[in-house]
Amino acid sequence: MWMGDCNGINLLFKLSIPTAEFDFLETFTTTPESLLDITHLYIRSNHKLARSDLIQETENGIKRLSINAIHPLTDRLLPIFINDEADYGPKIRANMSMLNVQIGTPKSNSYDESFANKHKVSTVIDSSTHWHKMDTETLLSELRSRELGGYRTSGKLSDWCISRQRYWGTPIPIIHCDQCGSVPVPENELPVRLPSIENIRSSSKTGISPLANAHAWKKTQCPKCGNENAKRETDTMDTFVDSSWYFLRYLDNENTEKPFEPNTVNKLMPVDLYIGGLEHALTHLFVARFIQHFMHSKGLCTSLEPFKRFIPIGMVQGKTYKTSNGQYVTKDKVLTIDKNTMIHSLTKERVEVDWEKMSKSKYNGTDPQEIIDAYGVDFTRLLMLNFVHPRSLRNFTLEDGIAEGLQNWFKIFINLYVELIDPRTKTVMSNEEFQQIELALREQRLNTIYTVTFYIDSFFSVASAIIELQKLTRYLRKVPINIKRESNEYLRSLCDLLVMIGPVIPALSSELWTILQKQIKTNIDGYDLNKNLFAQNYPLLPNDYPAKINALYDTTVFASMPIARSLLPTLTTTDILQQLNNNDNQLQMKTFIEKNGLKFDRLRKLDDYCATLIYERDPNVTIVEQSEPLVEKKKSKTSKKKQVS
Ligand SMILES: [Zn+2]
């Protein structure tokens, strides 16, 4: 999809007089059958060849170049016009030179025809040549043998310029020789290593690589003719070259013979879970997948795709205050008039609130150290992990009662453990009542374990897990004192809570664990109180605790049913769909699917824990909005009024 369909071919035109930048003009056309009808070319005014020393003005006021292009087959000289009005096809990336060149074929295109007539371009095509006796496929193969294009490609693809003018990069292993031209560094001299340079100067202004100043390194012998004055290439490779296959090297990083040993790497590839920023999805993944497909085609990698799952993590954003002319204002200069109005305290100008990527110039950055200093490191961790799914944008703030809310939970949480040291006195409670409360507590505890595990394993949603653990905390607080003093189930809940929340707030959890170690005198199933918190096992569910089948759309579980855990691993997708379709709430589920125009897409199974049927929008279904028309609502209101009066 990213690369687009290969719905056209590339074409290369030699220039009648090569320029410093170009020997060729390259373009892309979806009409290779009109190849022999090309009479002229257009380039956009932002094309690098459209420069003043090459431009001539024609009598009609249109600009053309003083050099011509040469037809790749017939050798006809083709004038090159600078014309932004021509049809360059869909504008995908303005900087792609291939799309800034277009062919003119008056025979099949009326715009080109009237352009040619107006600007006196000869439209005569000699159709008696041997070329005209060939079909399009033969013409394309002729182009390929001449190395002048003819390859099926997509208009979205272009050459990748990998050279960068930076010191930190992989050296390009090429030596330039006056006699031999560009010569590859012999394999036994690879890798070319970077020289150590003091004071690496940024080259952004000069456009010259810092390595150009490493004269001793740069001067070398030509591997072909022995010329002592040959020069090493001083540009280095784009970092995307390395990042497109680093995951293969990491798996075999001690290998001194080759980049990686396929047998070693193929045992572990593909990567199970890949986490990165959104820019990964746009550029790096594109190149990494391309290289992996290439390695696969060469038989070096058995997996076609490099990554099984990818989470593009959301960006952290800060609150900005901006005046109407786009000037950012620091928070201390903002006066709040009411809920919807804020003004600049000095100029009294109205200030708009927005959320944007944190930046010094926008005065919206938050230094984590400030939060650590004010609230402690565990609070800061909890704040960071809380509230949003990893994919979502994070609007970072401590306002709106967020700090108070978290601190409040911390108090309740800490108190659960501290009160073990100095327990309150028991009240009167019947055995029956005790057992009932304990049973409900057990249900709550197991449900928390199930849900927390589900959220983390299926969605990596630590924030959802935290909500469940906060719920358990509040539940435990309300448990009657008799249970707190005598129930093993209660103590076990305290252990479970610490083990599950431990990775989020490790320092505090470890401290509270030491209280459990001192205060609990009995044996707690599944735990070894002689060992520290992080030596404990993650809480397990009893075997009779049911698994779940869920139906999910976006982030909404719209149907759910329990199923025996022993059954789940053997069930096929069809079985699971059938089970869910026969469940008690099937009508509700059917309505949801119809209302949202959904279709079953795929099954995600988590061992014997749960099976999630993932639904997506069905593109073939048009959703009819079923909300009440406004007019009718108004009518009913008026009729009510009438009744009242
Ligand atoms: Zn040479």
Side-chain angles (χ1 to χ4, degrees):
M1 187 183 77
W2 293 335
M3 297 187 191
D5 291 333
C6 287
N7 58 351
I9 57 150
N10 69 330
L11 267 181
L12 286 153
F13 297 88
K14 277 185 189 162
L15 294 173
S16 59
I17 305 166
T19 65
E21 301 99 334
F22 294 96
D23 299 340
F24 297 94
L25 274 182
E26 186 175 14
T27 186
F28 166 80
T29 176
T30 53
T31 58
E33 59 281 2
S34 57
L35 198 53
L36 296 174
D37 302 331
I38 303 169
T39 59
H40 58 283
L41 298 184
Y42 309 106
I43 60 173
R44 279 194 224 261
S45 55
N46 63 357
H47 194 282
K48 277 191 178 156
L49 269 187
R51 53 177 215 226
S52 55
D53 60 321
L54 286 177
I55 293 177
Q56 303 177 330
E57 198 116 355
T58 67
E59 43 193 277
N60 275 333
I62 189 108
K63 288 171 181 167
R64 62 170 283 187
L65 297 187
S66 57
I67 54 174
N68 292 310
I70 300 167
H71 193 287
L73 294 174
T74 66
D75 290 340
R76 177 182 176 133
L77 286 179
L78 311 167
I80 305 166
F81 293 94
I82 297 151
N83 178 13
D84 289 326
E85 256 107 70
D87 180 10
Y88 290 90
K91 197 173 179 183
I92 297 150
R93 277 163 61 183
N95 61 349
M96 278 176 61
S97 58
M98 198 161 84
L99 299 173
N100 287 336
V101 180
Q102 194 46 262
I103 55 173
T105 54
K107 198 177 157 191
S108 50
N109 182 307
S110 58
Y111 174 85
D112 296 342
E113 188 186 10
S114 66
F115 183 93
N117 289 338
K118 191 174 169 194
H119 300 292
K120 295 179 185 152
V121 180
S122 166
T123 56
V124 181
I125 306 281
D126 177 8
S127 58
S128 68
T129 66
H130 65 287
W131 300 113
H132 285 83
K133 296 184 181 77
M134 296 179 183
D135 60 15
T136 307
E137 280 314 311
T138 317
L139 292 175
L140 295 184
S141 92
E142 184 62 29
L143 280 177
R144 293 193 290 267
S145 68
R146 290 175 172 220
E147 295 186 8
L148 291 172
Y151 290 97
R152 298 224 163 259
T153 182
S154 147
K156 291 182 181 178
L157 288 178
S158 66
D159 285 343
W160 174 17
C161 175
I162 62 158
S163 59
R164 295 289 181 272
Q165 294 73 48
R166 290 187 199 126
Y167 172 79
W168 289 112
T170 308
I172 298 172
I174 292 289
I175 291 166
H176 301 283
C177 168
D178 286 344
Q179 323 296 324
C180 315
S182 307
V183 184
V185 174
E187 270 194 39
N188 60 11
E189 288 174 30
L190 293 177
V192 176
R193 291 183 193 281
L194 288 172
S196 75
I197 304 182
E198 281 175 33
N199 301 323
I200 300 160
R201 247 176 266 142
S202 154
S203 59
S204 56
K205 278 181 192 147
T206 59
I208 298 166
S209 170
L211 286 177
N213 298 321
H215 299 288
W217 176 83
K218 190 168 111 182
K219 186 170 174 285
T220 189
Q221 196 179 35
C222 169
K224 217 170 175 184
C225 73
N227 168 14
E228 297 280 345
N229 286 315
K231 293 182 186 90
R232 287 191 188 280
E233 172 60 52
T234 56
D235 281 359
T236 55
M237 290 188 212
D238 184 354
T239 49
F240 282 117
V241 176
D242 307 308
S243 64
S244 65
W245 66 282
Y246 76 93
F247 40 86
L248 299 170
R249 175 68 188 172
Y250 276 20
L251 298 177
D252 192 16
N253 59 38
E254 306 270 309
N255 198 326
T256 54
E257 299 303 314
K258 38 181 153 175
F260 61 88
E261 167 55 46
N263 289 329
T264 309
V265 160
N266 285 329
K267 270 181 222 154
L268 293 159
M269 284 291 287
V271 173
D272 295 298
L273 174 65
Y274 202 35
I275 302 171
L278 200 58
E279 78 284 0
H280 276 68
L282 298 175
T283 319
H284 160 63
L285 270 192
F286 179 83
V287 185
R289 291 186 60 216
F290 179 83
I291 297 290
Q292 178 82 11
H293 279 235
F294 170 74
M295 302 270 197
H296 177 78
S297 74
K298 293 287 168 197
L300 293 167
C301 292
T302 45
S303 69
L304 181 63
E305 294 292 343
F307 316 114
K308 276 194 208 161
R309 272 182 93 179
F310 172 60
I311 303 186
I313 48 165
M315 209 166 37
V316 181
Q317 301 194 120
K319 209 184 237 185
T320 55
Y321 303 92
K322 241 187 314 189
T323 62
S324 57
N325 58 17
Q327 223 154 26
Y328 289 97
V329 181
T330 53
K331 196 186 158 192
D332 58 302
K333 292 204 182 73
V334 176
L335 273 183
T336 306
I337 303 297
D338 59 52
K339 207 178 144 205
N340 300 313
T341 324
M342 291 186 176
I343 59 163
H344 192 296
S345 60
L346 302 174
T347 64
K348 309 295 176 215
E349 216 180 326
R350 208 187 150 100
V351 170
E352 295 298 331
V353 180
D354 202 356
W355 291 94
E356 290 177 75
K357 185 178 173 180
M358 286 188 180
S359 157
K360 267 187 187 166
S361 61
K362 293 173 186 163
Y363 312 116
N364 67 342
T366 306
D367 184 350
Q369 190 61 49
E370 285 170 22
I371 305 174
I372 293 171
D373 291 345
Y375 298 95
V377 71
D378 274 355
F379 177 95
T380 311
R381 283 178 68 98
L382 184 65
L383 178 69
M384 296 301 299
L385 293 165
N386 213 338
F387 305 118
V388 291
H389 191 275
R391 289 169 195 268
S392 315
L393 282 173
R394 174 63 189 271
N395 292 342
F396 194 86
T397 180
L398 275 171
E399 294 166 20
D400 311 323
I402 283 176
E404 293 75 13
L406 286 182
Q407 280 180 311
N408 193 22
W409 174 77
F410 265 108
K411 272 182 211 151
I412 300 170
F413 173 67
I414 294 169
N415 200 42
L416 288 182
Y417 299 86
V418 172
E419 68 186 6
L420 288 178
I421 300 169
D422 186 16
R424 283 175 287 150
T425 339
K426 286 194 287 181
T427 55
V428 183
M429 185 184 269
S430 72
N431 260 352
E432 204 181 25
E433 202 186 341
F434 186 96
Q435 276 166 11
Q436 260 179 10
I437 296 171
E438 203 176 36
L439 210 64
L441 170 62
R442 181 172 186 269
E443 193 48 44
Q444 180 71 27
R445 182 176 72 79
L446 296 181
N447 184 52
T448 307
I449 296 174
Y450 186 92
T451 320
V452 165
T453 312
F454 172 72
Y455 277 130
I456 290 178
D457 277 3
S458 345
F459 302 109
F460 307 101
S461 185
V462 178
S464 309
I466 291 172
I467 292 173
E468 293 303 315
L469 293 167
Q470 287 173 330
K471 267 193 224 162
L472 180 65
T473 309
R474 295 197 167 96
Y475 185 93
L476 294 176
R477 174 171 72 151
K478 289 182 186 150
V479 166
I481 193 68
N482 292 32
I483 302 280
K484 288 187 177 183
R485 289 201 56 185
E486 289 177 353
S487 163
N488 198 281
E489 185 63 35
Y490 176 75
L491 296 176
R492 195 171 179 183
S493 305
L494 291 182
C495 293
D496 289 350
L497 179 58
L498 278 191
V499 169
M500 287 190 279
I501 199 91
V504 179
I505 44 171
L508 179 60
S509 304
S510 297
E511 284 295 320
L512 298 178
W513 183 260
T514 61
I515 297 181
L516 292 185
Q517 286 178 309
K518 279 186 193 132
Q519 302 301 322
I520 298 180
K521 307 290 179 226
T522 57
N523 185 40
I524 307 285
D525 251 9
Y527 292 105
D528 182 350
L529 288 165
N530 294 314
K531 291 183 178 164
N532 73 43
L533 176 66
F534 291 101
Q536 304 302 321
N537 291 322
Y538 188 84
L540 292 177
L541 290 167
N543 286 331
D544 61 352
Y545 196 84
K548 262 183 202 160
I549 297 177
N550 295 320
L552 179 84
Y553 168 58
D554 195 12
T555 53
T556 308
V557 175
F558 62 90
S560 184
M561 65 173 285
I563 185 165
R565 283 190 43 210
S566 55
L567 271 180
L568 196 55
T570 57
L571 293 183
T572 65
T573 306
T574 322
D575 297 336
I576 292 169
L577 264 169
Q578 210 166 20
Q579 290 266 5
L580 196 63
N581 284 332
N582 293 333
N583 86 85
D584 299 344
N585 302 320
Q586 48 177 297
L587 196 70
Q588 210 182 324
M589 179 179 158
K590 223 177 135 196
T591 316
F592 187 91
I593 290 175
E594 273 170 21
K595 197 178 136 206
N596 292 286
L598 305 182
K599 68 178 171 78
F600 170 68
D601 188 70
R602 61 193 185 277
L603 173 77
R604 194 186 288 156
K605 226 174 181 182
L606 194 67
D607 305 324
D608 61 349
Y609 227 71
C610 76
T612 308
L613 299 156
I614 300 170
Y615 282 76
E616 299 285 359
R617 281 285 286 275
D618 186 345
N620 300 317
V621 173
T622 332
I623 307 167
V624 184
E625 289 292 336
Q626 288 175 342
S627 59
E628 262 181 86
L630 278 171
V631 187
E632 284 204 17
K633 264 189 188 168
K634 270 184 186 167
K635 261 186 194 168
S636 64
K637 265 189 185 169
T638 36
S639 58
K640 256 187 191 170
K641 263 186 189 169
K642 270 178 190 167
Q643 277 174 3
V644 174
S645 61

